[in-house]
Amino acid sequence: MRSVRQCSRTACGRAAVATLTYVYADSTAVLGPLAQHAEPHSYDLCVQHAERLTAPRGWEVVRLTPDLGPAAPSRDDLLALADAVREAGRGRAPEPSPVPDAVAPALAEAPRRGHLRVLRGEGG
């Protein structure tokens, strides 16, 4: 499926095509294909920023992706889109069941902390 993630560089709104990670122990910056999931210690880059990437003095850049252009839609992309449209056409999800009568008094008395509630159990 095509990426909807954006480049990590400040003020860049282009689509990300590569992921940059650092191996501090080896003084290496690794630029590879876009990771499946965004990781906290990696950076997604667009084509322009990936091509212009430089490393600090004394560091090595390892490029694992020779072609950084955006990928063309695949058959999987079209099937995922068709499944999403089909699912949306099925209608709304059923309404959630109401709170059981035994739990309702506990919710009314429970103190709130932001968006969470503290429920006291029977044993404590």
Side-chain angles (χ1 to χ4, degrees), residues 73-124:
S74 68
R75 178 169 163 67
D76 291 338
D77 290 336
L78 295 175
L79 289 175
L81 180 61
D83 289 341
V85 169
R86 192 175 304 117
E87 187 67 29
R90 287 190 180 143
R92 295 179 46 198
E95 293 293 321
S97 60
V99 176
D101 292 335
V103 178
L107 285 176
E109 298 172 7
R112 291 187 57 98
R113 295 191 67 178
H115 65 282
L116 303 175
R117 292 180 185 234
V118 178
L119 297 178
R120 309 262 185 252
E122 291 181 22

Coordinates of all heavy atoms in Angstrom, one line a residue, residues 73-124:
P73 N 1.1 2.4 -8.0 CA 0.1 1.6 -7.4 C 0.2 0.1 -7.8 O 0.4 -0.2 -8.9 CB -1.3 2.2 -7.8 CG -0.9 3.5 -8.4 CD 0.5 3.5 -8.8
S74 N 0.1 -0.7 -6.8 CA 0.1 -2.2 -7.1 C -1.3 -2.8 -7.1 O -2.2 -2.1 -6.7 CB 1.0 -2.9 -6.1 OG 0.4 -2.9 -4.8
R75 N -1.3 -4.0 -7.4 CA -2.6 -4.8 -7.4 C -3.1 -4.8 -5.9 O -4.3 -4.7 -5.7 CB -2.4 -6.2 -7.9 CG -3.6 -7.0 -7.9 CD -3.4 -8.3 -8.7 NE -4.4 -9.3 -8.4 CZ -5.7 -9.3 -8.6 NH1 -6.2 -8.2 -9.2 NH2 -6.5 -10.3 -8.4
D76 N -2.2 -4.9 -5.0 CA -2.6 -4.9 -3.6 C -3.3 -3.6 -3.2 O -4.2 -3.6 -2.4 CB -1.4 -5.2 -2.6 CG -0.9 -6.6 -2.8 OD1 -1.7 -7.5 -3.2 OD2 0.3 -6.9 -2.4
D77 N -2.7 -2.5 -3.7 CA -3.3 -1.2 -3.4 C -4.8 -1.1 -3.9 O -5.7 -0.6 -3.2 CB -2.5 -0.1 -4.0 CG -1.2 0.2 -3.4 OD1 -1.0 -0.2 -2.3 OD2 -0.3 0.7 -4.1
L78 N -5.0 -1.6 -5.1 CA -6.3 -1.5 -5.7 C -7.3 -2.5 -4.9 O -8.4 -2.1 -4.7 CB -6.3 -1.9 -7.1 CG -5.5 -0.9 -8.0 CD1 -5.4 -1.5 -9.4 CD2 -6.1 0.4 -8.0
L79 N -6.8 -3.6 -4.5 CA -7.6 -4.6 -3.7 C -8.0 -4.0 -2.4 O -9.1 -4.1 -1.9 CB -7.0 -5.9 -3.6 CG -6.9 -6.7 -4.9 CD1 -6.1 -8.0 -4.6 CD2 -8.2 -7.1 -5.4
A80 N -7.0 -3.3 -1.7 CA -7.3 -2.7 -0.4 C -8.3 -1.6 -0.5 O -9.2 -1.4 0.3 CB -6.0 -2.2 0.2
L81 N -8.2 -0.8 -1.6 CA -9.1 0.3 -1.8 C -10.5 -0.3 -2.1 O -11.5 0.2 -1.5 CB -8.7 1.1 -3.0 CG -9.6 2.3 -3.4 CD1 -9.7 3.3 -2.2 CD2 -9.1 3.0 -4.6
A82 N -10.6 -1.4 -2.9 CA -11.9 -2.0 -3.1 C -12.5 -2.5 -1.9 O -13.7 -2.4 -1.6 CB -11.8 -3.1 -4.2
D83 N -11.7 -3.2 -1.0 CA -12.2 -3.7 0.3 C -12.7 -2.6 1.2 O -13.7 -2.8 1.8 CB -11.1 -4.5 1.0 CG -10.8 -5.8 0.3 OD1 -11.7 -6.3 -0.5 OD2 -9.7 -6.4 0.5
A84 N -12.0 -1.5 1.2 CA -12.4 -0.4 2.1 C -13.7 0.2 1.6 O -14.6 0.5 2.4 CB -11.3 0.7 2.1
V85 N -13.9 0.4 0.3 CA -15.2 0.9 -0.3 C -16.3 -0.1 0.0 O -17.4 0.3 0.4 CB -15.0 1.2 -1.8 CG1 -16.4 1.4 -2.4 CG2 -14.1 2.3 -2.0
R86 N -16.0 -1.4 -0.1 CA -17.0 -2.4 0.1 C -17.5 -2.4 1.6 O -18.6 -2.4 1.9 CB -16.5 -3.8 -0.2 CG -17.5 -4.9 -0.3 CD -17.0 -6.2 -0.7 NE -16.3 -6.1 -2.0 CZ -15.0 -6.3 -2.3 NH1 -14.2 -6.6 -1.3 NH2 -14.5 -6.2 -3.5
E87 N -16.5 -2.2 2.5 CA -16.8 -2.2 3.9 C -17.6 -0.9 4.3 O -18.5 -1.0 5.1 CB -15.5 -2.2 4.7 CG -15.6 -2.3 6.2 CD -16.2 -3.7 6.6 OE1 -16.0 -4.7 6.0 OE2 -16.9 -3.7 7.7
A88 N -17.2 0.2 3.7 CA -18.0 1.4 4.0 C -19.4 1.4 3.5 O -20.3 1.9 4.1 CB -17.2 2.6 3.4
G89 N -19.6 0.6 2.4 CA -21.0 0.5 1.9 C -21.9 -0.4 2.6 O -23.1 -0.4 2.5
R90 N -21.3 -1.2 3.6 CA -22.1 -2.2 4.3 C -23.0 -1.5 5.4 O -23.9 -2.1 5.9 CB -21.2 -3.2 5.0 CG -20.7 -4.2 4.0 CD -20.0 -5.3 4.8 NE -19.4 -6.2 3.8 CZ -18.3 -6.8 3.9 NH1 -17.6 -6.7 5.0 NH2 -17.9 -7.6 3.0
G91 N -22.7 -0.3 5.7 CA -23.5 0.4 6.7 C -22.8 0.6 8.0 O -21.6 0.3 8.1
R92 N -23.5 1.2 8.9 CA -22.9 1.5 10.2 C -22.8 0.3 11.1 O -23.5 -0.6 11.0 CB -23.8 2.6 10.9 CG -23.8 3.9 10.2 CD -24.7 4.9 10.9 NE -24.4 4.9 12.3 CZ -25.3 5.5 13.2 NH1 -26.4 6.0 12.8 NH2 -25.0 5.5 14.5
A93 N -21.8 0.4 12.0 CA -21.6 -0.7 13.0 C -22.8 -0.6 14.0 O -23.4 0.4 14.2 CB -20.3 -0.5 13.7
P94 N -23.1 -1.7 14.6 CA -24.2 -1.7 15.6 C -23.8 -0.8 16.8 O -22.6 -0.7 17.1 CB -24.3 -3.2 16.0 CG -23.0 -3.8 15.6 CD -22.5 -3.0 14.5
E95 N -24.8 -0.2 17.4 CA -24.6 0.6 18.6 C -24.1 -0.2 19.7 O -24.4 -1.4 19.9 CB -26.0 1.3 19.0 CG -26.5 2.2 18.0 CD -25.6 3.5 17.8 OE1 -25.1 4.0 18.9 OE2 -25.5 3.9 16.7
P96 N -23.2 0.4 20.5 CA -22.6 -0.4 21.6 C -23.7 -0.6 22.7 O -24.7 0.1 22.8 CB -21.6 0.5 22.2 CG -21.9 1.9 21.7 CD -22.6 1.7 20.4
S97 N -23.6 -1.8 23.3 CA -24.6 -2.1 24.3 C -24.6 -1.1 25.5 O -23.5 -0.6 25.8 CB -24.4 -3.5 24.8 OG -23.2 -3.7 25.4
P98 N -25.7 -0.9 26.1 CA -25.7 0.1 27.3 C -24.9 -0.5 28.4 O -24.7 -1.7 28.5 CB -27.2 0.2 27.6 CG -27.9 -1.0 27.0 CD -27.0 -1.4 25.8
V99 N -24.6 0.4 29.3 CA -23.8 0.0 30.5 C -24.8 -0.8 31.4 O -25.9 -0.4 31.7 CB -23.4 1.3 31.3 CG1 -22.7 0.9 32.6 CG2 -22.5 2.1 30.4
P100 N -24.3 -2.0 31.9 CA -25.1 -2.8 32.7 C -25.5 -2.1 34.0 O -24.8 -1.2 34.5 CB -24.3 -4.0 33.1 CG -23.2 -4.0 32.1 CD -23.0 -2.6 31.6
D101 N -26.7 -2.4 34.5 CA -27.2 -1.7 35.7 C -26.3 -1.8 36.9 O -26.2 -0.9 37.8 CB -28.6 -2.3 36.1 CG -29.7 -1.9 35.0 OD1 -29.4 -0.9 34.3 OD2 -30.7 -2.6 34.9
A102 N -25.6 -3.0 37.0 CA -24.7 -3.2 38.2 C -23.5 -2.2 38.1 O -22.9 -1.9 39.1 CB -24.2 -4.6 38.2
V103 N -23.1 -1.8 36.9 CA -21.9 -1.0 36.8 C -22.2 0.5 36.8 O -21.4 1.4 37.2 CB -21.2 -1.3 35.5 CG1 -20.0 -0.4 35.2 CG2 -20.8 -2.8 35.5
A104 N -23.5 0.9 36.5 CA -23.9 2.3 36.4 C -23.6 3.1 37.7 O -23.1 4.2 37.6 CB -25.3 2.4 35.9
P105 N -24.0 2.6 38.9 CA -23.7 3.3 40.1 C -22.2 3.6 40.3 O -21.8 4.6 40.8 CB -24.3 2.5 41.2 CG -25.3 1.6 40.5 CD -24.8 1.4 39.2
A106 N -21.4 2.6 40.0 CA -19.9 2.7 40.2 C -19.4 3.8 39.2 O -18.5 4.6 39.6 CB -19.2 1.4 39.9
L107 N -19.9 3.9 38.0 CA -19.5 5.0 37.1 C -19.9 6.4 37.6 O -19.2 7.3 37.5 CB -20.1 4.8 35.7 CG -19.4 3.7 34.9 CD1 -20.2 3.5 33.6 CD2 -18.0 4.0 34.6
A108 N -21.1 6.5 38.2 CA -21.5 7.8 38.7 C -20.7 8.3 39.9 O -20.5 9.5 40.0 CB -23.0 7.6 39.1
E109 N -20.2 7.3 40.7 CA -19.4 7.7 41.9 C -17.9 7.8 41.6 O -17.2 8.3 42.4 CB -19.6 6.7 43.0 CG -21.1 6.6 43.5 CD -21.3 5.4 44.5 OE1 -20.3 4.8 44.8 OE2 -22.4 5.2 44.8
A110 N -17.5 7.3 40.5 CA -16.0 7.2 40.3 C -15.4 8.5 40.0 O -16.0 9.3 39.2 CB -15.8 6.3 39.1
P111 N -14.3 8.8 40.7 CA -13.6 10.1 40.4 C -13.0 10.1 39.0 O -12.6 9.0 38.5 CB -12.6 10.2 41.5 CG -12.3 8.8 41.9 CD -13.6 8.0 41.7
R112 N -13.0 11.2 38.4 CA -12.4 11.3 37.0 C -11.0 11.9 37.1 O -10.7 12.8 37.9 CB -13.3 12.2 36.2 CG -14.6 11.6 35.8 CD -15.4 12.4 34.8 NE -14.6 12.6 33.6 CZ -14.8 11.8 32.5 NH1 -15.6 10.9 32.5 NH2 -14.0 12.1 31.4
R113 N -10.1 11.4 36.3 CA -8.8 11.9 36.1 C -8.6 12.1 34.6 O -8.2 11.2 33.9 CB -7.7 11.0 36.6 CG -7.8 10.8 38.1 CD -6.7 10.0 38.6 NE -5.5 10.9 38.5 CZ -4.3 10.6 38.9 NH1 -4.1 9.5 39.4 NH2 -3.3 11.5 38.7
G114 N -8.9 13.3 34.1 CA -8.8 13.6 32.7 C -9.9 12.8 32.0 O -11.0 13.0 32.3
H115 N -9.5 12.0 31.1 CA -10.5 11.2 30.3 C -10.7 9.8 30.9 O -11.4 9.0 30.3 CB -10.1 11.1 28.8 CG -8.8 10.4 28.6 ND1 -7.6 10.9 28.9 CD2 -8.6 9.1 28.2 CE1 -6.6 10.0 28.7 NE2 -7.2 8.9 28.3
L116 N -10.0 9.5 32.0 CA -10.1 8.1 32.6 C -10.9 8.2 33.9 O -11.0 9.2 34.6 CB -8.7 7.6 32.9 CG -7.7 7.6 31.8 CD1 -6.3 7.2 32.3 CD2 -8.2 6.6 30.7
R117 N -11.5 7.1 34.3 CA -12.2 6.9 35.5 C -11.5 5.8 36.3 O -11.1 4.8 35.8 CB -13.7 6.5 35.3 CG -14.4 7.6 34.6 CD -15.9 7.2 34.5 NE -16.6 8.2 33.7 CZ -17.7 8.7 34.2 NH1 -18.2 8.3 35.3 NH2 -18.3 9.7 33.5
V118 N -11.6 6.0 37.6 CA -11.1 4.9 38.5 C -12.2 4.2 39.1 O -13.1 4.8 39.7 CB -10.3 5.6 39.7 CG1 -9.8 4.5 40.6 CG2 -9.1 6.4 39.2
L119 N -12.3 2.9 38.8 CA -13.4 2.0 39.3 C -12.9 1.2 40.4 O -11.9 0.5 40.3 CB -13.9 1.1 38.2 CG -14.6 1.8 37.0 CD1 -15.0 0.8 35.9 CD2 -15.7 2.7 37.4
R120 N -13.6 1.2 41.5 CA -13.2 0.4 42.7 C -13.8 -1.0 42.5 O -15.0 -1.2 42.2 CB -13.8 1.0 44.0 CG -13.5 2.5 44.1 CD -12.3 2.7 45.0 NE -12.1 4.1 45.2 CZ -11.0 4.7 44.7 NH1 -10.2 4.1 44.0 NH2 -10.8 6.0 45.0
G121 N -13.0 -2.0 42.7 CA -13.5 -3.4 42.6 C -14.1 -3.8 43.9 O -14.1 -3.1 45.0
E122 N -14.8 -4.9 43.9 CA -15.5 -5.4 45.1 C -14.5 -5.8 46.2 O -14.8 -5.6 47.4 CB -16.4 -6.6 44.8 CG -17.6 -6.2 43.9 CD -18.4 -7.4 43.6 OE1 -18.4 -8.4 44.3 OE2 -19.2 -7.3 42.6
G123 N -13.3 -6.2 45.8 CA -12.4 -6.7 46.8 C -11.5 -5.6 47.4 O -10.8 -5.8 48.4
G124 N -11.6 -4.4 46.9 CA -10.6 -3.4 47.5 C -11.2 -2.1 47.5 O -11.0 -1.1 47.9

